[in-house]
Amino acid sequence: MHVFAGIAVSDFDVAAEWYERLFGGPPTMIPTHGEAVWRLTDSASVFIVADDARAGSALVTIAVRDLDELGLAPHRMVDEPGAPLRAVFADPDGNTLSFFAEI
């Protein structure tokens, strides 16, 4: 099984640049014009796709080894009792990506 988390964006070029900084490099593959995929693990990928009508509504949560590995400063940090520390990002369209350190 492989999970692909899709994120719709209104301006593909602007979003691709932002996600390259977030994930620390270029996409793993570009299957079609207006679509880019970052393979995060052997069984999980995040992709962006140009889709103006759906842009800004995604909510993705990703577990990472270290929050300091992320290529951008988070929009905000969330530290709630009993929950792992989360770094929350909003892409240029307002899609929300939350990262937390694996325990």
Side-chain angles (χ1 to χ4, degrees):
M1 184 181 303
H2 191 100
V3 174
F4 287 89
I7 301 170
V9 298
S10 62
D11 186 323
F12 179 80
D13 293 331
V14 168
E17 183 179 305
W18 188 88
Y19 281 91
E20 283 184 20
R21 289 193 319 268
L22 178 68
F23 292 130
T28 308
M29 66 179 152
I30 300 175
T32 63
H33 178 72
E35 185 176 5
V37 179
W38 284 265
R39 189 165 189 167
L40 305 180
T41 70
D42 288 342
S43 60
S45 297
V46 170
F47 72 94
I48 61 170
V49 61
D51 185 342
D52 194 45
R54 294 182 183 184
S57 298
L59 175 60
V60 177
T61 301
I62 301 170
V64 295
R65 288 193 185 115
D66 185 353
L67 292 174
D68 293 331
E69 294 177 1
L70 302 171
L72 294 172
H75 177 73
R76 73 181 195 280
M77 298 297 290
V78 178
D79 191 6
E80 298 171 337
L85 179 65
R86 288 185 297 138
V88 181
F89 297 82
D91 76 3
D93 285 302
N95 293 302
T96 302
L97 291 92
S98 295
F99 294 81
F100 67 93
E102 295 177 304
I103 299 172

